[in-house]
Short mmCIF file of all heavy atoms in Angstrom, two decimals:
data_model
loop_
_atom_site.label_atom_id
_atom_site.label_comp_id
_atom_site.label_asym_id
_atom_site.label_seq_id
_atom_site.Cartn_x
_atom_site.Cartn_y
_atom_site.Cartn_z
N LEU B 266 58.63 -71.36 -26.15
CA LEU B 266 57.70 -72.33 -26.70
C LEU B 266 58.07 -73.79 -26.42
O LEU B 266 57.22 -74.58 -26.01
CB LEU B 266 57.50 -72.12 -28.21
CG LEU B 266 56.50 -73.08 -28.86
CD1 LEU B 266 55.67 -72.40 -29.94
CD2 LEU B 266 57.14 -74.35 -29.43
N PRO B 267 59.35 -74.20 -26.62
CA PRO B 267 59.65 -75.63 -26.46
C PRO B 267 59.28 -76.16 -25.07
O PRO B 267 58.69 -77.24 -24.96
CB PRO B 267 61.16 -75.70 -26.69
CG PRO B 267 61.45 -74.53 -27.59
CD PRO B 267 60.51 -73.45 -27.12
N TRP B 268 59.59 -75.39 -24.03
CA TRP B 268 59.26 -75.89 -22.69
C TRP B 268 57.75 -75.81 -22.44
O TRP B 268 57.15 -76.74 -21.90
CB TRP B 268 60.03 -75.12 -21.62
CG TRP B 268 59.51 -75.38 -20.23
CD1 TRP B 268 58.98 -74.48 -19.36
CD2 TRP B 268 59.44 -76.66 -19.57
NE1 TRP B 268 58.58 -75.10 -18.21
CE2 TRP B 268 58.85 -76.45 -18.31
CE3 TRP B 268 59.82 -77.96 -19.93
CZ2 TRP B 268 58.61 -77.46 -17.40
CZ3 TRP B 268 59.59 -78.99 -19.02
CH2 TRP B 268 59.00 -78.75 -17.78
N TRP B 269 57.14 -74.72 -22.86
CA TRP B 269 55.69 -74.61 -22.66
C TRP B 269 54.97 -75.79 -23.34
O TRP B 269 54.00 -76.32 -22.84
CB TRP B 269 55.19 -73.28 -23.23
CG TRP B 269 54.88 -72.26 -22.18
CD1 TRP B 269 53.64 -71.75 -21.90
CD2 TRP B 269 55.77 -71.63 -21.25
NE1 TRP B 269 53.73 -70.85 -20.87
CE2 TRP B 269 55.00 -70.76 -20.44
CE3 TRP B 269 57.15 -71.73 -21.01
CZ2 TRP B 269 55.57 -69.98 -19.42
CZ3 TRP B 269 57.70 -70.95 -20.01
CH2 TRP B 269 56.93 -70.10 -19.22
N SER B 270 55.50 -76.16 -24.50
CA SER B 270 54.85 -77.23 -25.26
C SER B 270 55.16 -78.61 -24.67
O SER B 270 54.38 -79.55 -24.82
CB SER B 270 55.30 -77.16 -26.73
OG SER B 270 54.42 -77.86 -27.55
N SER B 271 56.31 -78.75 -23.99
CA SER B 271 56.62 -80.07 -23.39
C SER B 271 56.07 -80.22 -21.99
O SER B 271 55.96 -81.33 -21.49
CB SER B 271 58.13 -80.31 -23.30
OG SER B 271 58.84 -79.48 -24.11
N SER B 272 55.77 -79.11 -21.31
CA SER B 272 55.31 -79.21 -19.93
C SER B 272 54.01 -80.01 -19.88
O SER B 272 53.28 -80.07 -20.87
CB SER B 272 55.10 -77.82 -19.34
OG SER B 272 54.00 -77.20 -19.97
N VAL B 273 53.74 -80.63 -18.74
CA VAL B 273 52.68 -81.64 -18.73
C VAL B 273 51.29 -81.08 -19.04
O VAL B 273 50.45 -81.78 -19.59
CB VAL B 273 52.63 -82.43 -17.40
CG1 VAL B 273 53.84 -83.32 -17.29
CG2 VAL B 273 52.49 -81.49 -16.21
N ASP B 274 51.06 -79.85 -18.70
CA ASP B 274 49.72 -79.32 -18.98
C ASP B 274 49.41 -79.40 -20.48
O ASP B 274 48.26 -79.48 -20.88
CB ASP B 274 49.59 -77.88 -18.50
CG ASP B 274 48.15 -77.40 -18.65
OD1 ASP B 274 47.33 -77.75 -17.79
OD2 ASP B 274 47.85 -76.71 -19.65
N SER B 275 50.47 -79.34 -21.31
CA SER B 275 50.26 -79.32 -22.75
C SER B 275 49.91 -80.68 -23.34
O SER B 275 49.61 -80.78 -24.53
CB SER B 275 51.50 -78.78 -23.45
OG SER B 275 51.70 -77.44 -23.08
N THR B 276 49.96 -81.72 -22.51
CA THR B 276 49.66 -83.06 -23.03
C THR B 276 48.30 -83.08 -23.74
O THR B 276 48.12 -83.76 -24.74
CB THR B 276 49.63 -84.07 -21.88
OG1 THR B 276 50.78 -83.84 -21.07
CG2 THR B 276 49.64 -85.49 -22.41
N TYR B 277 47.39 -82.29 -23.18
CA TYR B 277 46.03 -82.31 -23.75
C TYR B 277 45.99 -81.80 -25.18
O TYR B 277 45.02 -81.98 -25.89
CB TYR B 277 45.08 -81.49 -22.87
CG TYR B 277 45.23 -80.00 -23.05
CD1 TYR B 277 44.32 -79.28 -23.83
CD2 TYR B 277 46.28 -79.31 -22.46
CE1 TYR B 277 44.46 -77.92 -24.00
CE2 TYR B 277 46.42 -77.96 -22.62
CZ TYR B 277 45.51 -77.26 -23.40
OH TYR B 277 45.66 -75.92 -23.57
N LEU B 278 47.05 -81.09 -25.63
CA LEU B 278 47.06 -80.57 -27.00
C LEU B 278 47.28 -81.68 -28.02
O LEU B 278 47.03 -81.51 -29.21
CB LEU B 278 48.19 -79.54 -27.15
CG LEU B 278 48.10 -78.29 -26.27
CD1 LEU B 278 49.38 -77.48 -26.40
CD2 LEU B 278 46.89 -77.46 -26.66
N THR B 279 47.76 -82.82 -27.54
CA THR B 279 48.18 -83.89 -28.44
C THR B 279 47.07 -84.31 -29.40
O THR B 279 45.98 -84.67 -28.97
CB THR B 279 48.63 -85.11 -27.63
OG1 THR B 279 49.50 -84.65 -26.61
CG2 THR B 279 49.31 -86.14 -28.51
N GLY B 280 47.38 -84.22 -30.66
CA GLY B 280 46.46 -84.74 -31.67
C GLY B 280 45.21 -83.91 -31.88
O GLY B 280 44.29 -84.38 -32.55
N LYS B 281 45.14 -82.70 -31.32
CA LYS B 281 43.98 -81.84 -31.62
C LYS B 281 43.94 -81.65 -33.12
O LYS B 281 44.93 -81.32 -33.76
CB LYS B 281 44.14 -80.46 -30.96
CG LYS B 281 43.98 -80.48 -29.46
CD LYS B 281 42.57 -80.07 -29.04
CE LYS B 281 42.51 -80.02 -27.53
NZ LYS B 281 41.29 -80.60 -26.98
N ARG B 282 42.76 -81.83 -33.67
CA ARG B 282 42.62 -81.78 -35.13
C ARG B 282 42.43 -80.33 -35.57
O ARG B 282 41.44 -79.70 -35.20
CB ARG B 282 41.45 -82.65 -35.56
CG ARG B 282 41.54 -84.07 -34.97
CD ARG B 282 40.26 -84.86 -35.17
NE ARG B 282 40.05 -85.19 -36.57
CZ ARG B 282 39.16 -84.61 -37.34
NH1 ARG B 282 38.39 -83.66 -36.89
NH2 ARG B 282 39.04 -84.98 -38.60
N VAL B 283 43.38 -79.80 -36.36
CA VAL B 283 43.28 -78.41 -36.78
C VAL B 283 43.20 -78.29 -38.30
O VAL B 283 43.76 -79.09 -39.04
CB VAL B 283 44.44 -77.53 -36.27
CG1 VAL B 283 44.48 -77.52 -34.75
CG2 VAL B 283 45.77 -77.99 -36.83
N PHE B 284 42.45 -77.27 -38.72
CA PHE B 284 42.30 -76.95 -40.13
C PHE B 284 42.89 -75.57 -40.35
O PHE B 284 42.61 -74.64 -39.59
CB PHE B 284 40.81 -76.94 -40.50
CG PHE B 284 40.56 -76.74 -41.96
CD1 PHE B 284 40.39 -77.83 -42.80
CD2 PHE B 284 40.48 -75.46 -42.50
CE1 PHE B 284 40.16 -77.64 -44.17
CE2 PHE B 284 40.26 -75.26 -43.86
CZ PHE B 284 40.09 -76.37 -44.70
N LEU B 285 43.75 -75.43 -41.39
CA LEU B 285 44.40 -74.14 -41.63
C LEU B 285 43.91 -73.50 -42.92
O LEU B 285 43.82 -74.18 -43.95
CB LEU B 285 45.92 -74.30 -41.72
CG LEU B 285 46.65 -74.83 -40.49
CD1 LEU B 285 47.00 -76.29 -40.69
CD2 LEU B 285 47.90 -74.02 -40.25
N PHE B 286 43.61 -72.21 -42.85
CA PHE B 286 43.26 -71.48 -44.07
C PHE B 286 43.73 -70.04 -43.95
O PHE B 286 43.63 -69.44 -42.88
CB PHE B 286 41.75 -71.53 -44.32
CG PHE B 286 41.42 -71.20 -45.75
CD1 PHE B 286 41.47 -72.19 -46.72
CD2 PHE B 286 41.10 -69.90 -46.12
CE1 PHE B 286 41.19 -71.89 -48.06
CE2 PHE B 286 40.84 -69.60 -47.46
CZ PHE B 286 40.88 -70.58 -48.42
N GLY B 287 44.24 -69.49 -45.05
CA GLY B 287 44.71 -68.11 -45.03
C GLY B 287 45.51 -67.83 -46.29
O GLY B 287 45.28 -68.48 -47.32
N ASP B 288 46.46 -66.89 -46.20
CA ASP B 288 47.34 -66.73 -47.36
C ASP B 288 48.34 -67.88 -47.36
O ASP B 288 48.63 -68.46 -46.31
CB ASP B 288 47.98 -65.34 -47.43
CG ASP B 288 49.05 -65.09 -46.37
OD1 ASP B 288 49.78 -66.03 -46.01
OD2 ASP B 288 49.16 -63.94 -45.92
N GLY B 289 48.83 -68.23 -48.54
CA GLY B 289 49.65 -69.43 -48.68
C GLY B 289 50.84 -69.45 -47.75
O GLY B 289 51.14 -70.46 -47.10
N SER B 290 51.55 -68.33 -47.63
CA SER B 290 52.78 -68.31 -46.83
C SER B 290 52.50 -68.60 -45.36
O SER B 290 53.21 -69.37 -44.73
CB SER B 290 53.46 -66.94 -46.93
OG SER B 290 53.81 -66.69 -48.25
N HIS B 291 51.48 -67.94 -44.83
CA HIS B 291 51.20 -68.15 -43.41
C HIS B 291 50.69 -69.56 -43.13
O HIS B 291 51.02 -70.15 -42.11
CB HIS B 291 50.22 -67.09 -42.89
CG HIS B 291 50.88 -65.77 -42.63
ND1 HIS B 291 51.05 -64.82 -43.60
CD2 HIS B 291 51.45 -65.27 -41.50
CE1 HIS B 291 51.69 -63.78 -43.08
NE2 HIS B 291 51.95 -64.03 -41.81
N VAL B 292 49.87 -70.06 -44.04
CA VAL B 292 49.34 -71.41 -43.82
C VAL B 292 50.47 -72.44 -43.84
O VAL B 292 50.56 -73.32 -42.97
CB VAL B 292 48.26 -71.74 -44.87
CG1 VAL B 292 47.96 -73.24 -44.90
CG2 VAL B 292 47.00 -70.94 -44.58
N MET B 293 51.38 -72.30 -44.81
CA MET B 293 52.45 -73.29 -44.90
C MET B 293 53.35 -73.22 -43.66
O MET B 293 53.74 -74.25 -43.11
CB MET B 293 53.26 -73.06 -46.19
CG MET B 293 52.45 -73.43 -47.42
SD MET B 293 53.40 -73.42 -48.96
CE MET B 293 53.51 -71.69 -49.29
N ALA B 294 53.65 -71.99 -43.23
CA ALA B 294 54.51 -71.87 -42.04
C ALA B 294 53.80 -72.39 -40.79
O ALA B 294 54.40 -73.06 -39.95
CB ALA B 294 54.90 -70.40 -41.86
N MET B 295 52.51 -72.10 -40.69
CA MET B 295 51.79 -72.48 -39.48
C MET B 295 51.48 -73.97 -39.42
O MET B 295 51.27 -74.52 -38.34
CB MET B 295 50.50 -71.65 -39.36
CG MET B 295 50.71 -70.21 -38.98
SD MET B 295 51.64 -69.98 -37.45
CE MET B 295 50.51 -70.74 -36.28
N ALA B 296 51.44 -74.62 -40.57
CA ALA B 296 51.21 -76.06 -40.56
C ALA B 296 52.34 -76.74 -39.80
O ALA B 296 52.13 -77.66 -39.00
CB ALA B 296 51.12 -76.58 -42.00
N ARG B 297 53.55 -76.27 -40.04
CA ARG B 297 54.71 -76.84 -39.36
C ARG B 297 54.65 -76.57 -37.85
O ARG B 297 54.89 -77.47 -37.04
CB ARG B 297 55.99 -76.24 -39.95
CG ARG B 297 57.26 -76.71 -39.26
CD ARG B 297 58.47 -76.20 -40.01
NE ARG B 297 59.71 -76.59 -39.34
CZ ARG B 297 60.91 -76.16 -39.71
NH1 ARG B 297 61.02 -75.33 -40.74
NH2 ARG B 297 61.99 -76.54 -39.06
N VAL B 298 54.30 -75.36 -37.49
CA VAL B 298 54.18 -75.04 -36.06
C VAL B 298 53.11 -75.94 -35.43
O VAL B 298 53.32 -76.51 -34.35
CB VAL B 298 53.81 -73.55 -35.86
CG1 VAL B 298 53.54 -73.24 -34.39
CG2 VAL B 298 54.91 -72.65 -36.42
N ALA B 299 51.98 -76.05 -36.11
CA ALA B 299 50.86 -76.81 -35.55
C ALA B 299 51.25 -78.27 -35.32
O ALA B 299 51.01 -78.83 -34.25
CB ALA B 299 49.65 -76.71 -36.48
N ARG B 300 51.87 -78.85 -36.31
CA ARG B 300 52.16 -80.29 -36.20
C ARG B 300 53.40 -80.55 -35.35
O ARG B 300 53.37 -81.34 -34.41
CB ARG B 300 52.36 -80.89 -37.60
CG ARG B 300 52.53 -82.41 -37.57
CD ARG B 300 52.85 -82.97 -38.94
NE ARG B 300 54.15 -82.52 -39.42
CZ ARG B 300 54.65 -82.87 -40.62
NH1 ARG B 300 53.94 -83.61 -41.46
NH2 ARG B 300 55.83 -82.43 -40.99
N ASP B 301 54.50 -79.85 -35.68
CA ASP B 301 55.77 -80.22 -35.08
C ASP B 301 56.05 -79.54 -33.74
O ASP B 301 56.87 -80.01 -32.97
CB ASP B 301 56.91 -79.89 -36.05
CG ASP B 301 56.78 -80.67 -37.35
OD1 ASP B 301 55.99 -81.65 -37.36
OD2 ASP B 301 57.42 -80.29 -38.35
N GLU B 302 55.40 -78.41 -33.50
CA GLU B 302 55.75 -77.67 -32.28
C GLU B 302 54.62 -77.65 -31.26
O GLU B 302 54.84 -77.38 -30.09
CB GLU B 302 56.21 -76.26 -32.66
CG GLU B 302 57.43 -76.36 -33.58
CD GLU B 302 57.95 -75.04 -34.12
OE1 GLU B 302 57.57 -73.98 -33.59
OE2 GLU B 302 58.73 -75.08 -35.09
N MET B 303 53.39 -77.93 -31.72
CA MET B 303 52.27 -77.99 -30.79
C MET B 303 51.76 -79.42 -30.62
O MET B 303 51.01 -79.71 -29.70
CB MET B 303 51.11 -77.11 -31.29
CG MET B 303 51.44 -75.64 -31.49
SD MET B 303 51.95 -74.80 -29.98
CE MET B 303 50.39 -74.63 -29.13
N GLY B 304 52.11 -80.29 -31.56
CA GLY B 304 51.64 -81.66 -31.48
C GLY B 304 50.21 -81.83 -31.93
O GLY B 304 49.53 -82.79 -31.58
N PHE B 305 49.71 -80.90 -32.73
CA PHE B 305 48.36 -81.02 -33.29
C PHE B 305 48.39 -81.98 -34.47
O PHE B 305 49.43 -82.30 -35.03
CB PHE B 305 47.85 -79.67 -33.81
CG PHE B 305 47.64 -78.62 -32.76
CD1 PHE B 305 47.75 -77.26 -33.09
CD2 PHE B 305 47.33 -78.94 -31.45
CE1 PHE B 305 47.55 -76.27 -32.14
CE2 PHE B 305 47.11 -77.95 -30.49
CZ PHE B 305 47.23 -76.61 -30.84
N GLU B 306 47.20 -82.38 -34.88
CA GLU B 306 47.08 -83.12 -36.14
C GLU B 306 46.49 -82.18 -37.19
O GLU B 306 45.42 -81.60 -36.97
CB GLU B 306 46.15 -84.33 -35.94
CG GLU B 306 46.01 -85.16 -37.20
CD GLU B 306 44.91 -86.21 -37.10
OE1 GLU B 306 44.38 -86.42 -35.99
OE2 GLU B 306 44.57 -86.80 -38.13
N VAL B 307 47.20 -82.00 -38.29
CA VAL B 307 46.69 -81.14 -39.36
C VAL B 307 45.73 -81.95 -40.21
O VAL B 307 46.11 -82.94 -40.82
CB VAL B 307 47.85 -80.59 -40.21
CG1 VAL B 307 47.32 -79.83 -41.43
CG2 VAL B 307 48.75 -79.69 -39.36
N VAL B 308 44.45 -81.54 -40.22
CA VAL B 308 43.46 -82.33 -40.96
C VAL B 308 43.01 -81.67 -42.25
O VAL B 308 42.18 -82.20 -42.97
CB VAL B 308 42.22 -82.64 -40.09
CG1 VAL B 308 42.59 -83.57 -38.95
CG2 VAL B 308 41.57 -81.35 -39.57
N GLY B 309 43.56 -80.51 -42.53
CA GLY B 309 43.23 -79.87 -43.79
C GLY B 309 43.92 -78.53 -43.87
O GLY B 309 44.25 -77.93 -42.85
N MET B 310 44.21 -78.09 -45.09
CA MET B 310 44.80 -76.75 -45.25
C MET B 310 44.45 -76.20 -46.61
O MET B 310 44.13 -76.93 -47.54
CB MET B 310 46.32 -76.80 -45.05
CG MET B 310 47.07 -77.61 -46.09
SD MET B 310 48.87 -77.42 -45.91
CE MET B 310 49.26 -78.67 -44.70
N GLY B 311 44.48 -74.88 -46.69
CA GLY B 311 44.18 -74.26 -47.96
C GLY B 311 44.55 -72.80 -47.95
O GLY B 311 44.90 -72.24 -46.91
N CYS B 312 44.51 -72.19 -49.15
CA CYS B 312 44.78 -70.76 -49.24
C CYS B 312 43.85 -70.13 -50.26
O CYS B 312 43.31 -70.79 -51.13
CB CYS B 312 46.24 -70.49 -49.59
SG CYS B 312 46.71 -70.98 -51.25
N TYR B 313 43.68 -68.80 -50.10
CA TYR B 313 42.79 -68.08 -51.02
C TYR B 313 43.54 -67.47 -52.18
O TYR B 313 42.93 -67.03 -53.14
CB TYR B 313 42.00 -67.01 -50.26
CG TYR B 313 42.84 -66.01 -49.50
CD1 TYR B 313 43.48 -64.96 -50.15
CD2 TYR B 313 42.99 -66.11 -48.12
CE1 TYR B 313 44.25 -64.04 -49.44
CE2 TYR B 313 43.75 -65.20 -47.40
CZ TYR B 313 44.39 -64.17 -48.07
OH TYR B 313 45.14 -63.26 -47.38
N ASN B 314 44.86 -67.39 -52.09
CA ASN B 314 45.61 -66.76 -53.19
C ASN B 314 46.20 -67.83 -54.10
O ASN B 314 47.08 -68.58 -53.71
CB ASN B 314 46.67 -65.80 -52.67
CG ASN B 314 47.56 -66.38 -51.58
OD1 ASN B 314 47.20 -67.34 -50.91
ND2 ASN B 314 48.73 -65.81 -51.43
N ARG B 315 45.66 -67.86 -55.31
CA ARG B 315 46.07 -68.85 -56.29
C ARG B 315 47.56 -68.84 -56.56
O ARG B 315 48.15 -69.85 -56.94
CB ARG B 315 45.35 -68.58 -57.62
CG ARG B 315 44.18 -69.47 -57.78
CD ARG B 315 43.22 -69.17 -58.85
NE ARG B 315 41.91 -69.57 -58.32
CZ ARG B 315 41.55 -70.82 -58.13
NH1 ARG B 315 42.35 -71.81 -58.49
NH2 ARG B 315 40.40 -71.11 -57.61
N GLU B 316 48.19 -67.68 -56.38
CA GLU B 316 49.63 -67.55 -56.64
C GLU B 316 50.42 -68.58 -55.83
O GLU B 316 51.51 -68.96 -56.20
CB GLU B 316 50.11 -66.14 -56.29
CG GLU B 316 49.58 -65.03 -57.21
CD GLU B 316 48.25 -64.43 -56.75
OE1 GLU B 316 47.58 -65.03 -55.87
OE2 GLU B 316 47.87 -63.37 -57.28
N MET B 317 49.87 -69.01 -54.69
CA MET B 317 50.59 -69.93 -53.80
C MET B 317 50.07 -71.37 -53.93
O MET B 317 50.44 -72.23 -53.13
CB MET B 317 50.44 -69.47 -52.35
CG MET B 317 51.18 -68.21 -52.03
SD MET B 317 52.97 -68.50 -51.97
CE MET B 317 53.56 -66.81 -51.83
#
Side-chain angles (χ1 to χ4, degrees):
Chain B
L266 182 143
W268 168 242
W269 256 245
S270 198
S271 343
S272 69
V273 290
D274 186 79
S275 296
T276 314
Y277 77 102
L278 298 172
T279 313
K281 289 262 184 223
R282 309 169 69 254
V283 299
F284 185 94
L285 298 103
F286 199 84
D288 71 35
S290 299
H291 282 86
V292 165
M293 290 188 283
M295 287 304 297
R297 177 173 177 187
V298 174
R300 186 185 66 181
D301 299 345
E302 300 176 15
M303 301 299 286
F305 295 152
E306 181 190 351
V307 173
V308 293
M310 65 172 86
C312 68
Y313 55 78
N314 50 339
R315 261 168 214 289
E316 292 89 345
M317 290 288 172

